Amino acid sequence: MAEQPKYNPPDPILLTLFANRFMSVAEAMGRSLQQTAISTNIKERLDFSCALFAPDGDLVANAPFIPIHLGSMSFAVKYQMQLHGKTLKPGDVLMTNSPHAGGSHLPDITIISPVFDTQAEKIIFFTASRGHHADIGGILPGSMPPTSTTIFEEGANIHSFKLVSEGVFDHDGLVDYMVTKPAQYPGSSGCRNLRDVESDLKAQVAANHKGIQLIQQIVDDYGLDTVQEYMYHIRANAESSVRNLLRDVVKRAGSNILEATDYLDDGSPVQLRVEIDEREGSAVLDFEGTGCEIRGNLNAPISVVHSAVIYCMRAMLDMDIPLNAGCLVPITVKIPEGSLLSPSRTAAVCGGNVLTSQRIVDVVLRAFHACAASQGCTNNLTFGAGGKDKDGKNVIGWGYYETIAGGSGAGPGWHGTSGVHTHITNTRIGDVEILERRYPVLVHQFGIREGSGGKGQWHGGDGVVRELEFLEPLQVSILSERRTRQPYGLEGGEPGALGRNTWVKQPREADGDLPEENAPLKPRRINIGGKATVFMGKGDRLLIETPGAGAWGAPLDGEDAARRPLAWTHNEHSKAWAPRGSLAEREAAQAAF
């Protein structure tokens, strides 16, 4: 962070006021984006984030969106600043998604807008939004191919593109980046549904503009000097909070050295050693010993590693402060070059953002002895149609993407929660009604996977069961973890159950698996593993059982499932019905205005 001028101590009332004003800017950007987007992924699943950044690119404030986005967006803003320097003008909007330009994985496209002082014509803030787009090209519909081995197979890779120049939208340039260039690679297609992607990108541009208007209004109300002073105080407050947390950890642990290791399903270790300077309230997080780059797609860019770390620091703080760059000031992160946490520029990364990031969180929280492991997965499901046909022509199609909930880990004094998105994936799942209305699928099951959470003094949360039937032939892919290594328990608590992905295949003459004459037709149940893509026929089903979470503390003597505390039993999932889901929340939000 750039050296700041000396300020007087903050007024506590103004500090709270500005923290909430800055957060309200990000919240308003998010509402604008949700209401103007058209894709299921952004409008219904809310797989997007909006945030406000300082002139130096540091995160100032955000609303509670997607943690993996928020920690890494600062890298993207700073990268674009280095490229474009002082050449940006009012009305310019930049677009990027490259993991080596501060991105997370390619479907997450970041839109960045400079905020100019209306009088001095200098940049005083940046607004930015990042949304997960359901298809940006690549070898499979949904652009999350479980079989990718290079980044070129994962879709459009954009280091920097001026999407809007002084208010003029560059449609032709967008087509080139999203359709033409990705299709140049063998087996890859361009974006299968550019119309939806372009519409959502325009919604992101509009959301950024909303943020520009609101932050300029705050500057008009209080003056630029006061606004920037309290921007500094908010970051300093977060920094002080993390320093105090680190000192407290040393006292509770009785040591300033913390260590933890966990593994991906392929056996690759993620290893961490934390050394805390109690006097300074600082720490070095060293990932030396982590496995080398992976041929698959579980490599995580360094921006994702920092996202996971800043999320953990903020999550362990028992204070209501905005997540911002101050949380990382006392932290030094060391990542071995060439490891799966610092891969080469051509390495595949689509799974690193959603799966390896979860394992990083597991390792950090284990080192700090904060809680047992949550499901440690996001259970990424994609399906769709279109792309290159047998003649090499690009066929317009579509893609659908969702992440599926699981159990959250127990801790000292609380049971884990069942059926929730955990840690870095603060998204929703697609509403059943919307999913069945818009796509050729039927949802046969969606409920709690009872008994999958680990048993202990404090029990781990249960995973979920989700079973979909496909009403027409589709390419279906699953990208998941915790299928061979259970989420750990702590202090004697049992681990959570492994996840499982099962293809319920209908017999067909074309596949040669019809039974003999007069024999009954029975579907085959095929375990497809954690990472697979399957062309499923009409009537086939995919049964996804997500992992449970680890427990905390050894089970009490004689305790069994029938005697679990009422707070943990599944009665908690059978409370009196109340309106919930995206439509109910949207209606409630509109009523609040």
Side-chain angles (χ1 to χ4, degrees):
M1 188 158 41
E3 185 177 349
Q4 298 286 347
K6 298 295 183 181
Y7 291 117
N8 293 324
D11 179 284
I13 295 177
L14 280 178
L15 184 66
T16 303
L17 186 149
F18 272 103
N20 283 281
R21 287 292 296 267
F22 289 147
M23 287 179 64
S24 72
V25 171
E27 289 170 351
M29 291 170 64
R31 284 196 299 271
S32 172
L33 178 51
Q34 182 190 4
Q35 291 170 359
T36 53
I38 66 170
S39 70
T40 303
N41 225 40
I42 292 179
K43 194 175 194 67
E44 307 297 339
R45 290 190 56 249
L46 307 186
D47 197 346
F48 66 84
S49 296
C50 300
L52 181 65
F53 296 85
D56 60 1
D58 278 341
L59 176 64
V60 174
N62 62 274
F65 294 116
I66 315 300
I68 202 65
H69 291 172
L70 296 166
S72 60
M73 283 170 71
S74 178
F75 284 79
V77 174
K78 291 179 178 180
Y79 188 93
Q80 299 305 313
M81 289 172 58
Q82 292 175 357
L83 281 183
H84 296 277
K86 298 180 179 180
T87 64
L88 291 175
K89 299 177 181 179
D92 287 351
V93 180
L94 303 173
M95 170 178 164
T96 180
N97 70 344
S98 172
H100 294 278
S104 44
H105 61 181
L106 298 182
D108 286 343
I109 298 179
T110 306
I111 301 296
I112 302 168
S113 303
V115 183
F116 284 85
D117 181 359
T118 55
Q119 297 178 350
E121 289 296 317
K122 66 176 182 178
I123 295 176
I124 55 174
F125 285 96
F126 287 92
T127 60
S129 56
R130 177 173 289 179
H132 185 113
H133 296 259
D135 193 282
I136 49 123
I139 59 175
L140 288 174
S143 305
M144 291 286 289
T147 57
S148 60
T149 57
T150 72
I151 199 166
F152 307 115
E153 297 174 327
E154 297 179 348
N157 184 9
I158 304 165
H159 279 76
S160 183
F161 167 49
K162 192 173 286 188
L163 181 64
V164 182
S165 297
E166 297 186 68
V168 179
F169 189 89
D170 187 355
H171 170 78
D172 292 340
L174 181 65
V175 172
D176 184 47
Y177 274 106
M178 297 298 297
V179 179
T180 307
K181 290 183 177 179
Q184 294 174 348
Y185 298 101
S188 290
S189 299
C191 176
R192 294 169 178 83
N193 190 353
L194 182 64
R195 183 181 66 88
D196 282 10
V197 172
E198 182 174 10
S199 181
D200 282 354
L201 289 173
K202 288 180 178 178
Q204 287 183 246
V205 173
N208 284 12
H209 184 66
K210 180 69 172 179
I212 291 172
Q213 292 176 316
L214 292 174
I215 197 64
Q216 288 178 337
Q217 182 62 54
I218 295 174
V219 172
D220 290 342
D221 290 345
Y222 294 94
L224 181 60
D225 290 342
T226 301
V227 170
Q228 292 187 329
E229 176 183 350
Y230 276 87
M231 176 179 68
Y232 164 76
H233 287 315
I234 289 167
R235 289 189 290 184
N237 185 44
E239 175 187 344
S240 174
S241 300
V242 172
R243 292 189 187 278
N244 290 335
L245 167 70
L246 294 171
R247 295 185 181 104
D248 183 61
V249 167
V250 173
K251 293 176 182 177
R252 286 188 288 108
S255 172
N256 71 325
I257 303 295
L258 312 173
E259 294 180 312
T261 304
D262 206 343
Y263 299 86
L264 299 174
D265 279 357
D266 69 356
S268 297
V270 178
Q271 188 167 322
L272 174 64
R273 184 179 190 272
V274 182
E275 184 171 351
I276 301 174
D277 184 328
E278 186 177 6
R279 185 177 64 84
E280 294 290 332
S282 61
V284 176
L285 277 68
D286 191 348
F287 287 92
E288 187 65 42
T290 294
C292 64
E293 180 181 311
I294 297 172
R295 183 175 179 270
N297 56 36
L298 294 187
N299 304 291
I302 59 171
S303 61
V304 168
V305 181
H306 284 78
S307 284
V309 170
I310 193 174
Y311 160 76
C312 290
M313 295 300 111
R314 176 61 188 87
M316 288 187 288
L317 285 176
D318 190 20
M319 297 179 65
D320 186 16
I321 62 170
L323 175 72
N324 61 61
C327 295
L328 274 183
V329 172
I331 304 295
T332 300
V333 180
K334 293 185 176 181
I335 304 171
E337 189 72 24
S339 70
L340 64 91
L341 304 183
S342 181
S344 62
R345 297 179 70 88
T346 60
V349 297
C350 71
N353 175 64
V354 290
L355 298 176
T356 306
S357 59
Q358 294 279 34
R359 198 65 68 255
I360 298 168
V361 170
D362 289 341
V363 168
V364 173
L365 295 181
R366 189 173 197 169
F368 280 83
H369 212 63
C371 63
S374 294
Q375 68 158 334
C377 182
T378 48
N379 308 289
N380 304 268
L381 173 66
T382 54
F383 54 86
K388 281 187 178 177
D389 61 15
K390 60 181 180 181
D391 298 322
K393 295 180 180 179
N394 202 60
V395 178
I396 296 175
W398 54 274
Y400 175 78
Y401 169 73
E402 71 178 19
T403 55
I404 306 174
S408 73
W414 72 86
H415 298 294
T417 305
S418 299
V420 292
H421 282 77
T422 57
H423 296 317
I424 59 94
T425 65
N426 190 30
T427 60
R428 291 175 179 162
I429 196 166
D431 289 341
V432 172
E433 297 84 357
I434 292 173
L435 179 60
E436 293 184 341
R437 182 180 179 87
R438 296 184 182 177
Y439 302 97
V441 297
L442 287 176
V443 180
H444 280 265
Q445 292 188 69
F446 184 41
I448 300 297
R449 185 187 175 197
E450 299 197 15
S452 56
K455 298 178 183 177
Q457 181 181 1
W458 304 100
H459 304 294
D462 283 344
V464 303
V465 178
R466 190 163 173 89
E467 184 177 13
L468 287 78
E469 177 183 347
F470 300 95
L471 303 182
E472 63 182 51
L474 290 174
Q475 191 73 40
V476 181
S477 303
I478 185 76
L479 182 56
S480 58
E481 276 280 305
R482 293 296 193 194
R483 268 52 182 176
T484 66
R485 297 176 184 269
Q486 295 173 270
Y488 62 79
L490 285 180
E491 294 295 315
E494 294 180 358
L498 293 172
R500 183 167 52 235
N501 308 317
T502 306
W503 176 18
V504 183
K505 183 188 182 302
Q506 303 299 328
R508 295 181 189 86
E509 183 177 358
D511 298 334
D513 57 2
L514 282 177
E516 296 180 2
E517 189 176 354
N518 298 325
L521 290 175
K522 292 183 179 180
R524 298 163 55 194
R525 296 175 66 88
I526 305 168
N527 187 333
I528 60 174
K531 301 163 186 67
T533 182
V534 179
F535 188 78
M536 295 198 178
K538 181 180 179 180
D540 287 357
R541 300 183 187 183
L542 180 61
L543 173 63
I544 302 169
E545 300 167 274
T546 70
W552 181 284
L556 301 177
D557 291 341
E559 184 186 10
D560 58 24
R563 297 177 57 191
R564 286 173 175 163
L566 182 61
W568 187 86
T569 63
H570 297 290
N571 291 333
E572 65 178 314
H573 303 294
S574 305
K575 294 179 180 177
W577 183 89
R580 58 177 63 87
S582 60
L583 297 179
E585 290 186 13
R586 181 178 177 186
E587 182 179 346
Q590 289 173 336
F593 281 104

